[in-house]
Amino acid sequence: MTPLRFAAIGAGFWADYQLAGWREVPGVACVAVCDRDQAKAERFGVPAFDDPERMIAEVKPDFLDVITGVESHRSLVELAAKHRIPVVCQKPLAPTLADAEAMVAACRAAGVPLLVNENWRWQTPLRELHRVLESGVIGTPFRARIDMISGFPVFMNQPALAELEQFILTDLGSHTLDVARWLFGEARSVYCTTRRTLPNIKGENVATVVLEARPTTVLVQMAYAQNPLERECFPETLVFVEGDRGSAELCPGCVLKVTTADGTLARRVPPPQYPWANPAYAVVHSSVVPCLTDLAKHLRGEGTADTTGEDNLNTARLVFAAYESAAVNRVIHL
Ligand code: 89V
């Protein structure tokens, strides 16, 4: 198979894991890395650039992988569209819904795929839970709780997150609300409250969202409050689903419990281990591999990826509807 040659833009904290993830995907090769600070791009052992236009002209990649902060996503995706180059982008897609819509429209008009590295739904425990729900063993889910409540000092590794005016719903809600859509379908309405409990950050670090995704009511709770917690298991997402024939629960330590009239079956569903993954982020970093494998399939024209730009727009709509709800203290109908 002729390898797909890609060029990455952005050489910050996430680039190490994203590029390590790509190295696990057969038939894909990184041929250049670009960063405003070219010295940072040099650590990857491929030609380094500080100007994306020049990199595109010299390298002529098969696709671009945008690994920068959210504020530059739109201009870089539009650059890819201008050059008719397929593009992979990090979540959150954009700082506003209008930007996200413009990015999807630009790539559609150029006839190039826009794909999103929305890896959360590729985490091993969540995949296993999805299988349980699809099997029908717990019947029809009528209520679910999705929790990502953590005392982890997330701003230590990613200081830029402390600067975001809109923080937890964009950074983490993009993941958890995407998981809610994937597990329970599109919501008809959203209600949200937010809080900022830390003095040294700009945005909200606590959010509580209620989605009406009939027949399921979904409560999504998020916090990076840096308070001591009894059940600290960053970055595991804990889920509890009640169905009319049983319940399913993702518990700390990647334990999946399924309870029916026959009793409770508990099993461990840990992620695969990769030597390059930061152990503190293992469940997240390992999910990059199946997510990128799925995107590579799309880029080779062998099917549609789970996390296209079009699909991710629905997640972005939920994120921004949640902000609107919090601002006006009302249910937003979608
Ligand atoms: O994976 C991420 O999007 C990270 C974190 C887990 C810290 O929220 O930003």
Side-chain angles (χ1 to χ4, degrees):
M1 141 175 43
T2 323
L4 286 171
R5 301 165 61 258
F6 77 94
I9 308 179
F13 171 73
W14 202 255
D16 290 285
Y17 307 108
Q18 179 79 358
L19 295 184
W22 277 122
R23 281 194 285 275
E24 302 287 342
V25 182
V28 180
C30 178
V31 292
V33 177
C34 178
D35 195 281
R36 273 181 307 213
D37 177 356
Q38 190 172 321
K40 276 164 76 183
E42 271 155 15
R43 71 181 188 276
F44 295 102
V46 288
F49 293 83
D50 61 4
D51 174 14
E53 288 262 21
R54 196 161 64 77
M55 176 172 75
I56 291 170
E58 283 186 29
V59 172
K60 300 189 175 43
D62 294 322
F63 71 94
L64 286 180
D65 188 8
V66 175
I67 324 176
T68 57
V70 64
E71 64 294 339
S72 52
H73 285 179
R74 178 171 175 179
S75 60
L76 293 170
V77 164
E78 287 179 346
L79 180 72
K82 184 179 109 185
H83 289 276
R84 295 190 191 281
I85 303 174
V87 56
V88 172
C89 187
Q90 289 295 316
K91 57 54 70 171
L93 203 48
T96 68
L97 185 57
D99 284 332
E101 283 168 345
M103 290 155 71
V104 170
C107 288
R108 194 189 301 127
V112 293
L114 165 60
L115 305 175
V116 184
N117 180 43
E118 180 38 77
N119 49 297
W120 219 260
R121 60 164 87 174
W122 288 97
Q123 291 176 12
T124 308
L126 290 165
R127 284 275 140 181
E128 292 298 322
L129 174 68
H130 189 263
R131 261 182 220 120
V132 167
L133 299 183
E134 291 290 290
S135 76
V137 65
I138 70 159
T140 305
F142 57 85
R143 186 164 60 177
R145 193 179 67 228
I146 300 176
D147 286 350
M148 175 61 203
I149 299 171
S150 173
F152 188 78
V154 72
F155 307 105
M156 214 167 60
N157 288 332
Q158 294 168 272
L161 297 180
E163 299 304 315
L164 295 175
E165 300 284 346
Q166 295 184 317
F167 164 52
I168 206 165
L169 282 167
T170 56
D171 186 65
L172 191 58
S174 296
H175 289 313
T176 53
L177 297 177
D178 189 71
V179 165
R181 291 183 48 235
W182 174 64
L183 291 176
F184 303 109
E186 301 301 346
R188 291 182 183 179
S189 67
V190 50
Y191 176 70
C192 175
T193 65
T194 60
R195 300 271 186 285
R196 183 171 67 89
T197 69
L198 296 174
N200 50 349
I201 66 167
K202 292 205 173 132
E204 83 294 350
N205 61 322
V206 177
T208 309
V209 183
V210 181
L211 302 173
E212 204 45 74
R214 276 180 192 275
T216 321
T217 300
V218 188
L219 172 66
V220 186
Q221 305 188 98
M222 290 159 258
Y224 279 132
Q226 291 187 192
N227 53 337
L229 295 166
E230 186 193 351
R231 300 192 336 158
E232 168 58 305
C233 52
F234 175 86
E236 285 179 48
T237 303
L238 306 182
V239 186
F240 181 59
V241 189
E242 297 162 80
D244 54 7
R245 285 169 37 207
S247 59
E249 184 164 18
L250 266 184
C251 311
C254 300
V255 173
L256 175 58
K257 292 184 184 170
V258 180
T259 302
T260 63
D262 297 333
T264 298
L265 199 69
R267 62 190 166 101
R268 286 213 67 226
V269 286
Q273 302 290 320
Y274 292 103
W276 47 263
N278 178 336
Y281 292 74
V283 75
V284 171
H285 287 167
S286 59
S287 71
V288 171
V289 176
C291 181
L292 297 183
T293 303
D294 187 56
L295 303 187
K297 171 194 79 181
H298 188 120
L299 292 164
R300 280 196 207 95
E302 293 168 359
T304 303
D306 253 37
T307 55
T308 58
E310 308 265 354
D311 179 82
N312 203 257
L313 256 190
N314 288 332
T315 299
R317 282 190 189 111
L318 270 190
V319 168
F320 291 106
Y323 277 119
E324 188 188 342
S325 170
V328 298
N329 189 26
R330 263 200 299 108
V331 173
I332 304 298
H333 296 277
L334 300 158

